Amino acid sequence: MIVTHNGWSGRWRAPAAVAAGALPALAFPAPALWWFAYVALVPWMLLLRSASGGRRAALEGWLGGAGFILAVHHWLLPSLHVFLVPVAALLGVLWIPWALLVRELLGGRPSAGRAARALVLVPAGWLLSELVRSWQGLGGPWGLLGASQWQVPPALRLASVGGVWLISLLVVAVNCAVVLLVAVPGARVPAVAGLTGCALLTGAVWVWAVRPAESGGLRVAVVQPGPVPDGPDSAERRFAAGERLTRPLAGQRVDLVVWGESSVGEDLSARPDLTRRLAALSAEVGAPLLVNVDARRADRPGIYKSAVLVGPGGPTGDRYDKMRLVPFGEYVPARSLLGWATSVGRAAGEDRMRGDAPVVMDLPGRRDGGTVVRLGPLVCFESAFPDMSRRLTRDGASLLIAQSATSTFQESWAPAQHASLAALRAAENGRPVVHATLTGVSVVHGPSGERIGAALPTSARTAEVYEVPLALGPTLYVRFGDWPVTAALAALALYCGAAGARWVTRVTRPSAPAPVPSPPPARTARG
């Protein structure tokens, strides 16, 4: 058995890396141990800093990244089965640069200067991995470390300034400072300075960041029909359940009724009977209905998931087709190569079609201070993408609405994880978010990310009315976007540039001539 210099057994380092990488999952719902995020990376970082070389650090970074993906997305097993393992192995590669940074900057006995650089560059390296895997083709930004802080008001205020990215940076910086305090006694001054800086930044944002100015409100009803068993008539039974739960809303003075994703299983232009039923229901309740159609369109080829606004006169003409699809769930990437995934799990048998552009809808007959109230619809995991809700806000949305369905993962962590994203999107944009699902968890958050009313659990079959406050004015995040990402990439570029310059200087510097050995000293004869 090989033993490294710090006592870690070489035999156990690999499984330890996988386990250490999985630990941060406990900070997310359903466990929701938000406070644990600030130390969850410490075991993994301690392991990486003790790696015997760059190759070992890269291996343990990859294994830890795979462990993180498996832990945060373990609820995908019913859909992907064993295919989740190669997916995690692929995405785990993204943590290799971060692991090398940890070993380079925290390994050995770092000086105060190297420790100070670590407090900036290690969080920046982590953000790089989050940024790359946020590409929709790699699964999207689900499980960003900053998202674990969805229920912490100071963190939500940070989101209004720099989005979820700023929270991730701060969380990793705290973990880095804890590693320095635990393992590097000589670096306690920069470690304490780093923790103090994080606290001061959070306090300054809490005091000085512009808060949304509330302006009126809406009465929004969320209809959650609950699970419907699969079968040839499941779409009709789901539709009927939505009707049944919506009718008692008549007389409650609601301004909008929201149904979940896939609440209508036929294209409305091909089923005028469904259109008439929805229009009559809208007239009966006295409010338009935002439904979600999951069907093959009559006017173009392919299956679309679409948010459609229906009033007493039928569809208003506003329709949003989902743009970002769930890999494997709604399409199979490189189907010619990976189509076999449909035989081992619940991967999509046919690719859904993508929409062309975001859509902001006017809410008929509803004005706030003389201004038309406008809705910004998102479908399913599009609520995980900060840029999509920001675009809708910049286009004039007063209320963001995410229509979702997580019935496939009903007894897992997925519904709670998905619902938590609404708080972050609300805080980032200074706009309320309605997260309406077929089977729970449905929830509403106000313009600062605060929860409005009670969440509807996965066991609920009901229609609930929420008093949703509206707000005016953009947040700093809406104005300036993903500036923490730009800052992190700039810091990494400067570091790499400086390292490259040092390497070039070392390579091109003329080597000093070998010293000429001096002759032995003469010995004087005495006699």
Side-chain angles (χ1 to χ4, degrees):
M1 182 174 63
I2 300 172
V3 179
T4 60
H5 65 278
N6 67 334
W8 280 92
S9 167
R11 177 180 299 175
W12 296 106
R13 289 186 69 97
V18 176
L23 282 177
L26 297 175
F28 294 88
L33 305 177
W34 63 266
W35 51 267
F36 184 61
Y38 294 93
V39 294
L41 298 178
V42 170
W44 190 8
M45 294 170 71
L46 289 174
L47 185 67
L48 293 172
R49 72 178 294 272
S50 68
S52 57
R55 183 174 299 180
R56 167 64 70 173
L59 173 64
E60 292 168 359
W62 170 55
L63 292 173
F68 177 79
I69 293 296
L70 284 171
V72 174
H73 299 82
H74 71 274
W75 43 266
L76 283 171
L77 281 169
S79 293
L80 297 184
H81 289 278
V82 295
F83 197 71
L84 181 59
V85 175
V87 168
L90 172 65
L91 295 178
V93 171
L94 300 177
W95 275 269
I96 289 178
W98 177 74
L100 295 174
L101 271 174
V102 171
R103 182 184 179 276
E104 177 68 22
L105 295 171
L106 295 176
R109 295 183 178 181
S111 64
R114 183 149 63 99
R117 289 193 295 274
L119 289 168
V120 174
L121 295 169
V122 169
W126 179 275
L127 203 64
L128 176 64
S129 67
E130 291 198 334
L131 178 66
V132 175
R133 74 183 180 90
S134 293
W135 178 50
Q136 190 259 330
L138 291 178
W142 194 286
L144 302 182
L145 193 58
S148 66
Q149 305 303 295
W150 64 276
Q151 56 185 322
V152 183
L156 292 174
R157 191 68 57 80
L158 286 170
S160 74
V161 173
V164 67
W165 314 108
L166 184 58
I167 307 175
S168 287
L169 284 173
L170 183 139
V171 170
V172 181
V174 171
N175 276 272
C176 189
V178 172
V179 168
L180 290 170
L181 288 173
V182 169
V184 188
R188 286 176 179 166
V189 171
V192 171
L195 291 173
T196 303
C198 290
L200 289 175
L201 172 64
T202 304
V205 168
W206 180 262
V207 172
W208 286 302
V210 178
R211 303 188 186 192
E214 292 192 8
S215 174
L218 294 175
R219 285 175 59 82
V220 179
V222 174
V223 177
Q224 181 175 300
V228 173
D230 291 335
D233 63 342
S234 59
E236 174 59 33
R237 285 186 285 115
R238 185 179 300 114
F239 187 97
E243 275 185 308
R244 184 175 62 255
L245 292 170
T246 301
R247 284 201 175 94
L249 296 172
Q252 296 192 40
R253 297 179 295 104
V254 295
D255 298 299
L256 175 68
V257 179
V258 182
W259 287 15
E261 180 187 10
S262 304
S263 49
V264 179
E266 298 284 345
D267 188 67
L268 293 178
S269 61
R271 288 288 304 272
D273 57 320
L274 295 182
T275 302
R276 288 192 295 269
R277 288 165 66 180
L278 288 172
L281 191 60
S282 173
E284 182 179 350
V285 172
L289 279 63
L290 185 68
V291 300
N292 189 273
V293 179
D294 182 2
R296 196 174 301 277
R297 289 188 61 163
D299 58 343
R300 62 181 67 176
I303 301 174
Y304 288 80
K305 285 190 176 181
S306 308
V308 180
L309 192 62
V310 181
T316 64
D318 291 324
R319 176 181 186 132
Y320 167 65
D321 296 325
K322 185 177 183 181
M323 298 171 62
R324 295 184 183 172
L325 305 178
V326 180
F328 298 101
E330 293 171 334
Y331 79 104
V332 176
R335 184 177 285 273
S336 60
L337 295 175
L338 303 177
W340 59 269
T342 60
S343 63
V344 297
R346 299 177 185 173
E350 178 183 351
D351 291 350
R352 295 296 196 273
M353 306 301 288
R354 302 175 189 273
D356 300 323
V359 174
V360 176
M361 305 174 177
D362 292 344
L363 183 60
R366 187 64 172 82
R367 291 178 176 269
D368 179 47
T371 303
V372 175
V373 174
R374 310 188 74 193
L375 313 177
L378 299 164
V379 181
C380 193
F381 95 138
E382 288 182 331
S383 66
F385 292 85
D387 66 299
M388 295 196 72
S389 54
R390 178 173 177 258
R391 167 70 183 273
L392 290 170
T393 302
R394 290 174 67 88
D395 287 347
S398 312
L399 172 66
L400 301 173
I401 300 174
Q403 295 173 299
S404 175
T406 51
S407 54
T408 305
F409 315 105
Q410 192 71 354
E411 303 302 324
S412 72
W413 294 0
Q417 283 186 14
H418 199 180
S420 70
L421 298 174
L424 289 159
R425 302 293 87 85
E428 287 171 343
N429 295 280
R431 296 292 183 270
V433 175
V434 173
H435 180 81
T437 75
L438 290 178
T439 59
V441 174
S442 296
V443 69
V444 177
H445 287 270
S448 296
E450 75 281 12
R451 181 177 290 175
I452 304 296
L456 302 181
T458 55
S459 59
R461 298 171 182 258
T462 186
E464 187 75 18
V465 179
Y466 295 88
E467 298 284 350
V468 182
L470 301 178
L472 297 174
T475 62
L476 291 176
Y477 176 71
V478 170
R479 286 184 180 179
F480 301 110
D482 300 330
W483 63 265
V485 173
T486 303
L489 294 179
L492 291 172
L494 287 174
Y495 173 74
C496 293
R502 287 194 299 270
W503 180 82
V504 170
T505 300
R506 188 165 58 249
V507 170
T508 59
R509 179 184 300 163
S511 56
V516 178
S518 55
R523 302 182 64 180
T524 304
R526 297 182 182 220

